[in-house]
Structure formats: C-alpha cells, structure tokens
Amino acid sequence: MSTFATLGVKKPFIQSIKELGINTPSEIQQKAIPILLDKRTDFVGLAQTGTGKTAAFGLPIVQQIDPNNNAVQALILSPTRELVQQIKKQLFKYTKHYDAKVFVEAVYGGEKIEKQIHNLQRTTHIIVATPGRLIDLIERGEVHLKEIITLVLDEADEMLSMGFKQDLNRILKYTSGHRNTWLFSATMPEEIQRIIKTYMDANAPRVEINRNATVNANISHQFVKTTIKDKANTIIRFLESRQNSRGIIFCRTKAGTQNLNKLLQEEGFSIGALEGDMQQKERDKVMRAFKNESLQYLISTDVSARGIDVRDLAFVIHHQLPDQLDYYTHRSGRTARAGKKGVSIALILSNEIQRIHEIEKDLNIKFTETNF
Ligand code: AMP
C-alpha cells in the first residue's frame, strides 16, 4: 500500500499533514500526487469534495514552489469565498514544518479590495481566488501572473454554473502558454470538455474517482414525512433529541434561512445563518463561529453545500430537498467526513415521496423513513 512518502511527498509536509489527521493517502491522492509531482503536466481529475482533493493538488503545489523566487507561481481558482479561505488555510497548514516560507494569499469578492491589494504587494507565491475578484485585480494591474507554473481549476463545473464562464476564459487566455492546468470537477458537462479541449493538452492524464463511491457509504439517509406547518417543530424536536450533536440545516431560499434562523434562536438554539445576501464580514463571522464550535448549528442555503469542511458534523437536515440532484450529494457530504458516520435527513411533504425514490435510483442509495 502506498504512503505519502512513496508517492513522493517530502518529510516536512508529511509531518504537517499528520497533525491534520491525514495519515494514509486517499484514492485521489494516490492517483494524482505521483503524476503531479513527477513532471510538469496538465491534469484532469474527476472527483468530488470530501475525497481529499485539496491535498491531492495542494501538496504538489506547495512542494513545487521555489521559496527563493518572489513571483506568484501558482493560482488556484475556486467558486465560493468560503472555499477560497478554506483552501488557503489548508495550504498554510501543510507548510507548518517546512523550513522555507511559502506565502499564500486569498482574494475574493465581498472583502475590501484595497486590503487585498495591500496584501498582494508582499511576497506571494500562491494566490487562491474566486474568478470575479481576480479579474478585478488583473484589470487594476495589481496581480502579476506571468510566472505562474500551475493553474488549478477547483470545482470547475460549479464555477461554470455560477456564471464564471467568461471570467475563466479570460484568466485561461491571460495565463496561456506558460503554465500547466490542473482541472478538478465532479462532473464533465460539455462546457468543461470545451475548456479542456481549448486550453489543455489533449494527452493530459485523467484520473476518475468512482462516482458511486462519492456518495459516502458512512451516511445514513432518512426522510421524515411532515407538513409545511410542522416543519419547524419537527426540526426543533430533532435538535432536542440530539443535544450533543452538531450539524447543518439546508434551506432553499435566503429568506427562509433567515426566518428559520430567527425562530430557532428564539427557541434558544446556538445557531447562525449563512446565505449569499449577507455581508461577507457577517458570512465569515458565522463560518468562523461554526468552525470553532462557538455555534452548534448552521442554517444555510446551498452556498455552503459544497466543499465546506467542518469536523464532526453528525447530521445534515434538508428543510426542503434541493432542486438539483447533485446538491443532495453535496449537502449530505458535509456529514460523515474523515471516516466518521453521519445522518442526512430530508423533511418531505406527502407529495414529495416520488422525489425520494428518484434520488434513491439516481444516486444508488437507500432511504429509511423515520420520525421524531
Ligand atoms: P477535501 O476533499 O479536500 O475537502 O477533504 C475532505 C476532508 O478530508 C478534510 O477534512 C481533509 O483534512 C480530510 N482528508 C484529506 N485527505 C485525507 C486522508 N488521506 N485521510 C484522512 N482524512 C483526509
């Protein structure tokens, strides 16, 4: 069986990731790391979040940075502000025991651009960015990407569906000719294939993590039949029955998120809301409080469905089922991380049972009916 050492990861990084509980390489890490460390190459990885994808590209990136060169050498694009900050923190942690300094900056919308410009004037080896804000900085002449060696497109399908297509094309054009592109995506819609065809090497190695394996087998899927009127009470009964557990409640709308948050706060629960209309400062504050456990629960729209990694979440509640099937996987993937068990509970109305059967069929999972 391979170890991080046999994959080519150097000792100080192995020591650092050990402290994050990363001891044995996951499938995507086993497959991607040797390729990405061995030679300069484009790369396509079909993998979802929760598979250890961040370390699969992050370790090769930090190991390949030349700390004596002050230029920006790697650019990582990711769809949401929270993910950008999470990746930045991970990379920083990977270098904890490295004797050289690798400087990582995160740039994303919603935060004062002047502050980010100021930070970028210091030595920066790696930029982690949302596409829109990066374009802003490029246009102001505040980012210099001429010496980029590696461009990572993380969650490429999500960036496209969030409307970043033009921005991505511009960034790809702007950095073309002198960098390798590592593209990670959970799905391969036509638009992604077009990006690969236009901007990447036709012989780029491809690694696919079995899609069926991406719906984590440690998650138990349950549904509760309820009524619109009784949904809030159903959630309250559940939270009261599991007082020591932490989890996320997903709602379909921003207003619904805020209303339910208010109601649950009034009931005395330690909960915070996160949705896209909130000021970035507020979003960061809530996410920080949830991650450091000063909030027990998070209530959110799908803005935190993907990628967000919070340890030891025992459950996910779907106040309503998501419109898109993929989002069921993303939402429920917030629980049962790093080998732990978790439960994903959908609150459904009696006319939605058909939807449960569809999800069972499409994702090859089984739901059990429950009650509380
Ligand atoms: P990611 O898919 O990159 O968002 O990672 C999901 C979670 O799994 C993070 O909390 C990582 O720290 C953790 N993780 C990543 N790789 C491993 C590994 N090889 N073994 C155990 N946990 C891991």
Side-chain angles (χ1 to χ4, degrees), residues 36 40-41 57 60-61 64-65 72-76 126-127 147-152 178-182:
L36 300 179
R40 291 194 50 191
T41 175
F57 66 75
I61 285 198
Q64 282 166 349
I65 294 294
V72 180
Q73 297 163 54
L75 170 64
I76 300 166
I126 304 170
I127 294 180
E147 292 188 47
I148 290 251
I149 298 166
T150 313
L151 169 64
V152 178
H178 46 79
R179 49 97 180 110
N180 287 120
T181 305
W182 302 349

PDB file of all heavy atoms in Angstrom, residues 36 40-41 57 60-61 64-65 72-76 126-127 147-152 178-182:
ATOM      1  N   LEU A  36       1.436  14.463 -10.506  1.00  0.00           N
ATOM      2  CA  LEU A  36       1.641  15.911 -10.425  1.00  0.00           C
ATOM      3  C   LEU A  36       3.036  16.270  -9.923  1.00  0.00           C
ATOM      4  O   LEU A  36       3.567  17.328 -10.231  1.00  0.00           O
ATOM      5  CB  LEU A  36       0.573  16.545  -9.517  1.00  0.00           C
ATOM      6  CG  LEU A  36      -0.865  16.333 -10.006  1.00  0.00           C
ATOM      7  CD1 LEU A  36      -1.868  16.958  -9.041  1.00  0.00           C
ATOM      8  CD2 LEU A  36      -1.061  16.910 -11.407  1.00  0.00           C
ATOM      9  N   ARG A  40       6.064  18.164 -15.217  1.00  0.00           N
ATOM     10  CA  ARG A  40       5.107  19.236 -15.478  1.00  0.00           C
ATOM     11  C   ARG A  40       4.090  18.745 -16.491  1.00  0.00           C
ATOM     12  O   ARG A  40       4.433  18.353 -17.598  1.00  0.00           O
ATOM     13  CB  ARG A  40       5.843  20.464 -15.992  1.00  0.00           C
ATOM     14  CG  ARG A  40       6.705  21.087 -14.914  1.00  0.00           C
ATOM     15  CD  ARG A  40       7.150  22.462 -15.314  1.00  0.00           C
ATOM     16  NE  ARG A  40       6.007  23.255 -15.749  1.00  0.00           N
ATOM     17  CZ  ARG A  40       6.108  24.417 -16.354  1.00  0.00           C
ATOM     18  NH1 ARG A  40       7.280  24.919 -16.617  1.00  0.00           N
ATOM     19  NH2 ARG A  40       5.033  25.087 -16.714  1.00  0.00           N
ATOM     20  N   THR A  41       2.836  18.749 -16.098  1.00  0.00           N
ATOM     21  CA  THR A  41       1.811  18.212 -16.982  1.00  0.00           C
ATOM     22  C   THR A  41       0.459  18.864 -16.690  1.00  0.00           C
ATOM     23  O   THR A  41       0.219  19.331 -15.578  1.00  0.00           O
ATOM     24  CB  THR A  41       1.691  16.675 -16.777  1.00  0.00           C
ATOM     25  OG1 THR A  41       0.607  16.179 -17.565  1.00  0.00           O
ATOM     26  CG2 THR A  41       1.405  16.301 -15.320  1.00  0.00           C
ATOM     27  N   PHE A  57      -4.062  18.201  -4.852  1.00  0.00           N
ATOM     28  CA  PHE A  57      -3.366  19.230  -5.646  1.00  0.00           C
ATOM     29  C   PHE A  57      -2.510  20.134  -4.773  1.00  0.00           C
ATOM     30  O   PHE A  57      -1.496  20.666  -5.203  1.00  0.00           O
ATOM     31  CB  PHE A  57      -4.334  20.036  -6.532  1.00  0.00           C
ATOM     32  CG  PHE A  57      -5.332  20.913  -5.803  1.00  0.00           C
ATOM     33  CD1 PHE A  57      -4.949  22.105  -5.201  1.00  0.00           C
ATOM     34  CD2 PHE A  57      -6.674  20.564  -5.754  1.00  0.00           C
ATOM     35  CE1 PHE A  57      -5.875  22.920  -4.553  1.00  0.00           C
ATOM     36  CE2 PHE A  57      -7.613  21.372  -5.096  1.00  0.00           C
ATOM     37  CZ  PHE A  57      -7.200  22.551  -4.498  1.00  0.00           C
ATOM     38  N   PRO A  60       1.352  18.767  -3.966  1.00  0.00           N
ATOM     39  CA  PRO A  60       2.278  19.002  -5.081  1.00  0.00           C
ATOM     40  C   PRO A  60       2.557  20.494  -5.308  1.00  0.00           C
ATOM     41  O   PRO A  60       3.682  20.876  -5.610  1.00  0.00           O
ATOM     42  CB  PRO A  60       1.557  18.399  -6.290  1.00  0.00           C
ATOM     43  CG  PRO A  60       0.687  17.341  -5.703  1.00  0.00           C
ATOM     44  CD  PRO A  60       0.251  17.870  -4.372  1.00  0.00           C
ATOM     45  N   ILE A  61       1.553  21.327  -5.109  1.00  0.00           N
ATOM     46  CA  ILE A  61       1.790  22.765  -5.327  1.00  0.00           C
ATOM     47  C   ILE A  61       2.786  23.317  -4.320  1.00  0.00           C
ATOM     48  O   ILE A  61       3.782  23.914  -4.701  1.00  0.00           O
ATOM     49  CB  ILE A  61       0.468  23.560  -5.270  1.00  0.00           C
ATOM     50  CG1 ILE A  61      -0.289  23.312  -6.555  1.00  0.00           C
ATOM     51  CG2 ILE A  61       0.722  25.058  -5.069  1.00  0.00           C
ATOM     52  CD1 ILE A  61      -1.343  24.291  -6.863  1.00  0.00           C
ATOM     53  N   GLN A  64       6.278  22.239  -4.932  1.00  0.00           N
ATOM     54  CA  GLN A  64       6.933  22.723  -6.150  1.00  0.00           C
ATOM     55  C   GLN A  64       7.259  24.214  -6.144  1.00  0.00           C
ATOM     56  O   GLN A  64       7.935  24.707  -7.038  1.00  0.00           O
ATOM     57  CB  GLN A  64       6.058  22.404  -7.364  1.00  0.00           C
ATOM     58  CG  GLN A  64       6.180  20.948  -7.768  1.00  0.00           C
ATOM     59  CD  GLN A  64       5.096  20.513  -8.735  1.00  0.00           C
ATOM     60  OE1 GLN A  64       4.132  21.234  -8.957  1.00  0.00           O
ATOM     61  NE2 GLN A  64       5.262  19.335  -9.311  1.00  0.00           N
ATOM     62  N   ILE A  65       6.793  24.934  -5.148  1.00  0.00           N
ATOM     63  CA  ILE A  65       7.086  26.370  -5.091  1.00  0.00           C
ATOM     64  C   ILE A  65       8.576  26.570  -4.819  1.00  0.00           C
ATOM     65  O   ILE A  65       9.157  25.876  -3.985  1.00  0.00           O
ATOM     66  CB  ILE A  65       6.264  27.043  -3.949  1.00  0.00           C
ATOM     67  CG1 ILE A  65       4.773  26.992  -4.258  1.00  0.00           C
ATOM     68  CG2 ILE A  65       6.732  28.474  -3.689  1.00  0.00           C
ATOM     69  CD1 ILE A  65       4.320  27.804  -5.435  1.00  0.00           C
ATOM     70  N   VAL A  72       4.569  35.180  -8.073  1.00  0.00           N
ATOM     71  CA  VAL A  72       3.420  34.288  -7.903  1.00  0.00           C
ATOM     72  C   VAL A  72       3.639  33.088  -8.828  1.00  0.00           C
ATOM     73  O   VAL A  72       3.811  33.235 -10.028  1.00  0.00           O
ATOM     74  CB  VAL A  72       2.104  34.991  -8.293  1.00  0.00           C
ATOM     75  CG1 VAL A  72       0.924  34.047  -8.110  1.00  0.00           C
ATOM     76  CG2 VAL A  72       1.902  36.258  -7.484  1.00  0.00           C
ATOM     77  N   GLN A  73       3.663  31.892  -8.249  1.00  0.00           N
ATOM     78  CA  GLN A  73       3.978  30.703  -9.050  1.00  0.00           C
ATOM     79  C   GLN A  73       2.794  29.766  -9.250  1.00  0.00           C
ATOM     80  O   GLN A  73       2.810  28.885 -10.094  1.00  0.00           O
ATOM     81  CB  GLN A  73       5.141  29.947  -8.393  1.00  0.00           C
ATOM     82  CG  GLN A  73       6.422  30.780  -8.358  1.00  0.00           C
ATOM     83  CD  GLN A  73       7.432  30.230  -7.359  1.00  0.00           C
ATOM     84  OE1 GLN A  73       7.786  29.053  -7.403  1.00  0.00           O
ATOM     85  NE2 GLN A  73       7.884  31.084  -6.450  1.00  0.00           N
ATOM     86  N   ALA A  74       1.771  29.940  -8.438  1.00  0.00           N
ATOM     87  CA  ALA A  74       0.586  29.081  -8.614  1.00  0.00           C
ATOM     88  C   ALA A  74      -0.675  29.887  -8.335  1.00  0.00           C
ATOM     89  O   ALA A  74      -0.688  30.769  -7.478  1.00  0.00           O
ATOM     90  CB  ALA A  74       0.654  27.878  -7.674  1.00  0.00           C
ATOM     91  N   LEU A  75      -1.715  29.562  -9.104  1.00  0.00           N
ATOM     92  CA  LEU A  75      -3.008  30.222  -8.944  1.00  0.00           C
ATOM     93  C   LEU A  75      -4.072  29.137  -8.811  1.00  0.00           C
ATOM     94  O   LEU A  75      -4.127  28.208  -9.622  1.00  0.00           O
ATOM     95  CB  LEU A  75      -3.284  31.083 -10.183  1.00  0.00           C
ATOM     96  CG  LEU A  75      -4.684  31.674 -10.328  1.00  0.00           C
ATOM     97  CD1 LEU A  75      -4.980  32.661  -9.201  1.00  0.00           C
ATOM     98  CD2 LEU A  75      -4.805  32.388 -11.686  1.00  0.00           C
ATOM     99  N   ILE A  76      -4.863  29.250  -7.781  1.00  0.00           N
ATOM    100  CA  ILE A  76      -5.940  28.270  -7.567  1.00  0.00           C
ATOM    101  C   ILE A  76      -7.264  29.018  -7.634  1.00  0.00           C
ATOM    102  O   ILE A  76      -7.477  29.971  -6.880  1.00  0.00           O
ATOM    103  CB  ILE A  76      -5.800  27.580  -6.193  1.00  0.00           C
ATOM    104  CG1 ILE A  76      -4.461  26.847  -6.102  1.00  0.00           C
ATOM    105  CG2 ILE A  76      -6.965  26.617  -5.938  1.00  0.00           C
ATOM    106  CD1 ILE A  76      -4.070  26.429  -4.695  1.00  0.00           C
ATOM    107  N   ILE A 126       1.537  31.832  -3.838  1.00  0.00           N
ATOM    108  CA  ILE A 126       0.327  31.147  -4.303  1.00  0.00           C
ATOM    109  C   ILE A 126      -0.865  32.080  -4.076  1.00  0.00           C
ATOM    110  O   ILE A 126      -1.025  32.622  -2.973  1.00  0.00           O
ATOM    111  CB  ILE A 126       0.088  29.838  -3.510  1.00  0.00           C
ATOM    112  CG1 ILE A 126       1.305  28.918  -3.592  1.00  0.00           C
ATOM    113  CG2 ILE A 126      -1.171  29.124  -4.012  1.00  0.00           C
ATOM    114  CD1 ILE A 126       1.243  27.716  -2.641  1.00  0.00           C
ATOM    115  N   ILE A 127      -1.691  32.252  -5.101  1.00  0.00           N
ATOM    116  CA  ILE A 127      -2.939  33.008  -4.921  1.00  0.00           C
ATOM    117  C   ILE A 127      -4.103  32.038  -5.017  1.00  0.00           C
ATOM    118  O   ILE A 127      -4.169  31.222  -5.943  1.00  0.00           O
ATOM    119  CB  ILE A 127      -3.099  34.111  -5.994  1.00  0.00           C
ATOM    120  CG1 ILE A 127      -2.011  35.177  -5.829  1.00  0.00           C
ATOM    121  CG2 ILE A 127      -4.482  34.758  -5.899  1.00  0.00           C
ATOM    122  CD1 ILE A 127      -2.105  36.314  -6.848  1.00  0.00           C
ATOM    123  N   GLU A 147       4.587  34.537 -14.209  1.00  0.00           N
ATOM    124  CA  GLU A 147       5.469  33.405 -13.852  1.00  0.00           C
ATOM    125  C   GLU A 147       4.708  32.232 -13.243  1.00  0.00           C
ATOM    126  O   GLU A 147       5.290  31.354 -12.615  1.00  0.00           O
ATOM    127  CB  GLU A 147       6.576  33.889 -12.911  1.00  0.00           C
ATOM    128  CG  GLU A 147       7.522  34.826 -13.638  1.00  0.00           C
ATOM    129  CD  GLU A 147       8.741  35.190 -12.828  1.00  0.00           C
ATOM    130  OE1 GLU A 147       9.374  34.292 -12.253  1.00  0.00           O
ATOM    131  OE2 GLU A 147       9.053  36.395 -12.774  1.00  0.00           O
ATOM    132  N   ILE A 148       3.414  32.235 -13.468  1.00  0.00           N
ATOM    133  CA  ILE A 148       2.611  31.121 -12.963  1.00  0.00           C
ATOM    134  C   ILE A 148       3.049  29.815 -13.612  1.00  0.00           C
ATOM    135  O   ILE A 148       3.172  29.729 -14.824  1.00  0.00           O
ATOM    136  CB  ILE A 148       1.138  31.365 -13.328  1.00  0.00           C
ATOM    137  CG1 ILE A 148       0.615  32.514 -12.512  1.00  0.00           C
ATOM    138  CG2 ILE A 148       0.318  30.118 -13.146  1.00  0.00           C
ATOM    139  CD1 ILE A 148      -0.336  32.121 -11.474  1.00  0.00           C
ATOM    140  N   ILE A 149       3.263  28.814 -12.808  1.00  0.00           N
ATOM    141  CA  ILE A 149       3.627  27.496 -13.335  1.00  0.00           C
ATOM    142  C   ILE A 149       2.389  26.605 -13.347  1.00  0.00           C
ATOM    143  O   ILE A 149       2.196  25.799 -14.232  1.00  0.00           O
ATOM    144  CB  ILE A 149       4.713  26.854 -12.440  1.00  0.00           C
ATOM    145  CG1 ILE A 149       5.963  27.725 -12.458  1.00  0.00           C
ATOM    146  CG2 ILE A 149       5.046  25.439 -12.906  1.00  0.00           C
ATOM    147  CD1 ILE A 149       6.942  27.362 -11.359  1.00  0.00           C
ATOM    148  N   THR A 150       1.567  26.781 -12.321  1.00  0.00           N
ATOM    149  CA  THR A 150       0.405  25.907 -12.199  1.00  0.00           C
ATOM    150  C   THR A 150      -0.868  26.715 -11.985  1.00  0.00           C
ATOM    151  O   THR A 150      -0.908  27.614 -11.141  1.00  0.00           O
ATOM    152  CB  THR A 150       0.577  24.967 -10.985  1.00  0.00           C
ATOM    153  OG1 THR A 150       1.880  24.408 -11.024  1.00  0.00           O
ATOM    154  CG2 THR A 150      -0.460  23.861 -11.000  1.00  0.00           C
ATOM    155  N   LEU A 151      -1.894  26.360 -12.744  1.00  0.00           N
ATOM    156  CA  LEU A 151      -3.220  26.937 -12.545  1.00  0.00           C
ATOM    157  C   LEU A 151      -4.147  25.797 -12.154  1.00  0.00           C
ATOM    158  O   LEU A 151      -4.259  24.801 -12.882  1.00  0.00           O
ATOM    159  CB  LEU A 151      -3.705  27.574 -13.851  1.00  0.00           C
ATOM    160  CG  LEU A 151      -5.175  27.996 -13.902  1.00  0.00           C
ATOM    161  CD1 LEU A 151      -5.463  29.103 -12.900  1.00  0.00           C
ATOM    162  CD2 LEU A 151      -5.542  28.458 -15.307  1.00  0.00           C
ATOM    163  N   VAL A 152      -4.780  25.909 -11.009  1.00  0.00           N
ATOM    164  CA  VAL A 152      -5.725  24.871 -10.602  1.00  0.00           C
ATOM    165  C   VAL A 152      -7.145  25.407 -10.762  1.00  0.00           C
ATOM    166  O   VAL A 152      -7.451  26.504 -10.279  1.00  0.00           O
ATOM    167  CB  VAL A 152      -5.518  24.457  -9.122  1.00  0.00           C
ATOM    168  CG1 VAL A 152      -6.545  23.404  -8.708  1.00  0.00           C
ATOM    169  CG2 VAL A 152      -4.109  23.930  -8.910  1.00  0.00           C
ATOM    170  N   HIS A 178       2.348  29.241 -20.737  1.00  0.00           N
ATOM    171  CA  HIS A 178       3.478  29.011 -19.845  1.00  0.00           C
ATOM    172  C   HIS A 178       3.082  28.344 -18.544  1.00  0.00           C
ATOM    173  O   HIS A 178       3.797  28.383 -17.571  1.00  0.00           O
ATOM    174  CB  HIS A 178       4.193  30.329 -19.548  1.00  0.00           C
ATOM    175  CG  HIS A 178       3.238  31.430 -19.200  1.00  0.00           C
ATOM    176  ND1 HIS A 178       2.672  31.542 -17.979  1.00  0.00           N
ATOM    177  CD2 HIS A 178       2.723  32.436 -19.954  1.00  0.00           C
ATOM    178  CE1 HIS A 178       1.855  32.581 -17.962  1.00  0.00           C
ATOM    179  NE2 HIS A 178       1.867  33.136 -19.162  1.00  0.00           N
ATOM    180  N   ARG A 179       1.909  27.788 -18.518  1.00  0.00           N
ATOM    181  CA  ARG A 179       1.521  27.144 -17.258  1.00  0.00           C
ATOM    182  C   ARG A 179       0.839  25.809 -17.545  1.00  0.00           C
ATOM    183  O   ARG A 179       0.334  25.577 -18.619  1.00  0.00           O
ATOM    184  CB  ARG A 179       0.598  28.030 -16.442  1.00  0.00           C
ATOM    185  CG  ARG A 179      -0.573  28.614 -17.236  1.00  0.00           C
ATOM    186  CD  ARG A 179      -1.859  27.891 -17.131  1.00  0.00           C
ATOM    187  NE  ARG A 179      -2.885  28.547 -17.930  1.00  0.00           N
ATOM    188  CZ  ARG A 179      -3.382  28.032 -19.047  1.00  0.00           C
ATOM    189  NH1 ARG A 179      -2.945  26.895 -19.518  1.00  0.00           N
ATOM    190  NH2 ARG A 179      -4.331  28.666 -19.722  1.00  0.00           N
ATOM    191  N   ASN A 180       0.855  24.990 -16.530  1.00  0.00           N
ATOM    192  CA  ASN A 180       0.077  23.759 -16.607  1.00  0.00           C
ATOM    193  C   ASN A 180      -1.242  23.979 -15.893  1.00  0.00           C
ATOM    194  O   ASN A 180      -1.315  24.733 -14.930  1.00  0.00           O
ATOM    195  CB  ASN A 180       0.828  22.607 -15.937  1.00  0.00           C
ATOM    196  CG  ASN A 180       1.998  22.161 -16.783  1.00  0.00           C
ATOM    197  OD1 ASN A 180       3.129  22.213 -16.364  1.00  0.00           O
ATOM    198  ND2 ASN A 180       1.711  21.745 -18.011  1.00  0.00           N
ATOM    199  N   THR A 181      -2.268  23.310 -16.409  1.00  0.00           N
ATOM    200  CA  THR A 181      -3.590  23.455 -15.806  1.00  0.00           C
ATOM    201  C   THR A 181      -4.008  22.130 -15.191  1.00  0.00           C
ATOM    202  O   THR A 181      -3.941  21.088 -15.834  1.00  0.00           O
ATOM    203  CB  THR A 181      -4.616  23.868 -16.883  1.00  0.00           C
ATOM    204  OG1 THR A 181      -4.136  25.055 -17.520  1.00  0.00           O
ATOM    205  CG2 THR A 181      -5.976  24.139 -16.265  1.00  0.00           C
ATOM    206  N   TRP A 182      -4.408  22.186 -13.952  1.00  0.00           N
ATOM    207  CA  TRP A 182      -4.950  21.008 -13.271  1.00  0.00           C
ATOM    208  C   TRP A 182      -6.419  21.293 -13.023  1.00  0.00           C
ATOM    209  O   TRP A 182      -6.754  22.186 -12.252  1.00  0.00           O
ATOM    210  CB  TRP A 182      -4.247  20.764 -11.936  1.00  0.00           C
ATOM    211  CG  TRP A 182      -2.755  20.588 -12.031  1.00  0.00           C
ATOM    212  CD1 TRP A 182      -2.011  20.414 -13.158  1.00  0.00           C
ATOM    213  CD2 TRP A 182      -1.824  20.592 -10.939  1.00  0.00           C
ATOM    214  NE1 TRP A 182      -0.672  20.308 -12.843  1.00  0.00           N
ATOM    215  CE2 TRP A 182      -0.534  20.416 -11.487  1.00  0.00           C
ATOM    216  CE3 TRP A 182      -1.951  20.737  -9.561  1.00  0.00           C
ATOM    217  CZ2 TRP A 182       0.616  20.371 -10.691  1.00  0.00           C
ATOM    218  CZ3 TRP A 182      -0.798  20.689  -8.764  1.00  0.00           C
ATOM    219  CH2 TRP A 182       0.458  20.503  -9.335  1.00  0.00           C
TER     220      TRP A 182
END
